[in-house]
Structures are given as C-alpha cells and as structure tokens.
Amino acid sequence: MPNRTKLIAGNWKMNNDVAAAAKLADELAEALPEVPEGVEVLVCPPTIDITTVHARMQAAPIALGAQNVYWEAKGAYTGESSCDMLKSAGCTYCIIGHSERRGYFHETDEDMNKKAKALVAAGIVPVFCCGEPEEVREAGTYVDFVCNQVKAGLEGLEIKCPKQLVVAYEPIWAIGTGKTATAEDAQEVCGAIRETLKEMFGEELADGIRVLYGGSAKPGNIAELVAKPDVDGALVGGASLKAADFASMVVKAGE
C-alpha cells in the first residue's frame, strides 16, 4: 500500500464570527505546535474569517482552505470568491461539492467540474466531496451513485501529481446526525472511489490521491477509520469547532 500522508481537515461550515474564529485559531495553534509524522492538518473557515485565521496560524503547521469558490477569474458575480482571491488570502485547499452545497444551493456535477478545473489550474487543491443520501444507501445502489459523482465531477481534470487532488466521501445520512458509517462501510466506498480514480487517472496517480471519510468523524472513531487501507483521513465537521477534540483526532491519526 502506498504511504499516503493522512489528512485531517476541519470544515467549520457557517460557524464563528471573526472574534470566535481568531480564538479558535489561537487554540489550535497552541494545541498543535507540531503534528505527528505522516499527518497533515487543514482547516476551512468561512470566507469572512479566512484572513484572520491565516494571520493567527502562520507559525503553526496547519494548512488553510476555503469552503467554496467560483470558477470565473473576476467579474459581476456578487457574493462569490475567485481562486486568485483565495490564494491571496493564504488558501492552499478548497472544499467543493459538499452535500450542503449540492442540496441547499442546487450545485450540479457540472458546477463541481468547473470548480475543480479552475482550482487545479490556480494551484489550489480541491477537496472534492461525494456521498449518498439515505434512500440510495437503503436501495443498495450507493457505490454506483458515489462513483458516478466522482466521474462526473472530475471528468477531464488534468493532474500530474496525486497531491493535486483530495476526494472526501461523506454519506449524507451520517452528517450531523450522530450516525456514522462503520469503518467497513467507509472502506467499501473509499476503496470503490480509488478504483474509479484508477480508471480516470491511472493506477500510479490514483494510488497516491488521498480519499477521506466525512460524516460524524470524531476522536472516538478516527483511529479505526484511518486504519483502513483506503481511508486516508477525515473531513471533520462539528468536532473541528473544538480545539481539544480536533487536536486529539490529529494525534490519534498519527498513532
């Protein structure tokens, strides 16, 4: 199995005003003055907080990402942020395709594809999210559903290095519900995603692309999740808002 660097990524979602973001960033920088070997840490605050968090964590070994991006370089797109804007604020990653963006804001596979291509062209790593709702899980067609999202969202993407892309599997029925896919459930779908990536990008590249699990990941289950051969870390929601919990997950991922 390739020796992929684990990635523990925090998605703060729409939480924390500027003062609260500064406080959490300070707490994280204090809790994680260094990270275990073989682990990378990422936080993705709301757009309004990015520059504040960047300033507070520059000395910490924590990467910075955004939660959304628009694919055009500039123009009359009120409320949006371009890749270059995110880069100038210190972002090296960006979440795209989160189920909340797909569900609440009706973003499509085509939108994800445009965003992924714009990010890679700008030198920002897309954290491409995919995952099934409960009815698809119960119907037993979830593997095909998720792999088709990957194929549609990443079609035609040109990468030369596996570090240019991260995929995050987030079963919608396990986000914020307290329900968690078992480590075996996560491995089943993450393994299928890796096979799809091999079809798209070739075995060598796909073997190095990190595939994360997202969906009620927390200190109590992170070690079991990352022990699976195709689960390379987690996209963490609620637990990323508590510095002690998030730092604990980083430590456990490295054990």
Side-chain angles (χ1 to χ4, degrees):
M1 186 179 77
N3 188 21
R4 295 181 291 268
T5 301
K6 298 284 191 290
L7 177 61
I8 304 298
N11 177 12
W12 294 6
K13 305 192 179 184
M14 196 176 75
N15 295 289
N16 295 331
D17 61 15
V18 171
K23 181 174 182 289
L24 181 53
D26 287 345
E27 290 170 351
L28 286 171
E30 185 176 349
L32 293 168
E34 54 187 38
V35 299
E37 189 176 348
V39 180
E40 186 180 358
V41 185
L42 166 66
V43 297
C44 299
T47 306
I48 199 83
D49 298 331
I50 287 173
T51 53
T52 297
V53 173
H54 180 54
R56 297 281 181 154
M57 294 199 312
Q58 283 196 58
I62 301 173
L64 182 65
Q67 297 177 15
N68 192 24
V69 70
Y70 195 61
W71 55 81
E72 295 288 355
K74 61 176 66 176
Y77 306 104
T78 300
E80 297 294 331
S81 303
S82 72
C83 295
D84 284 347
M85 289 175 179
L86 297 182
K87 279 182 77 173
S88 72
C91 291
T92 53
Y93 289 82
C94 181
I95 297 169
I96 58 171
H98 194 282
S99 59
E100 290 155 6
R101 297 299 312 176
R102 294 177 188 265
Y104 302 148
F105 304 104
H106 312 295
E107 294 188 355
T108 65
D109 289 331
E110 184 182 10
D111 294 334
M112 296 314 109
N113 192 250
K114 290 177 180 176
K115 290 182 180 189
K117 288 175 177 174
L119 287 166
V120 168
I124 299 175
V125 179
V127 179
F128 176 85
C129 299
C130 52
E132 81 280 4
E134 192 160 18
E135 62 269 21
V136 172
R137 162 66 56 165
E138 290 176 351
T141 55
Y142 52 92
V143 170
D144 285 344
F145 182 92
V146 171
C147 291
N148 285 336
Q149 281 186 324
V150 173
K151 289 174 186 173
L154 301 178
E155 181 185 6
L157 188 70
E158 294 184 6
I159 58 170
K160 295 178 179 176
C161 168
K163 291 186 177 180
Q164 289 179 279
L165 174 65
V166 172
V167 177
Y169 167 56
E170 37 146 36
I172 298 168
W173 49 270
I175 298 173
T177 61
K179 296 179 184 177
T180 311
T182 66
E184 289 72 25
D185 290 335
Q187 168 58 29
E188 179 190 16
V189 182
C190 289
I193 289 170
R194 184 150 342 263
E195 291 305 311
T196 301
L197 294 172
K198 287 179 182 178
E199 293 171 20
M200 298 179 72
F201 300 109
E203 188 159 348
E204 187 175 351
L205 268 178
D207 270 341
I209 294 171
R210 289 175 292 182
V211 181
L212 313 182
Y213 169 76
S216 300
K218 46 190 179 284
N221 60 22
I222 187 64
E224 186 182 13
L225 286 165
V226 300
K228 295 299 180 183
D230 289 299
V231 182
D232 304 312
L235 181 58
V236 186
S240 72
L241 299 173
K242 299 175 182 176
D245 285 355
F246 191 64
S248 170
M249 293 181 76
V250 171
V251 171
K252 288 181 178 183
E255 290 175 348

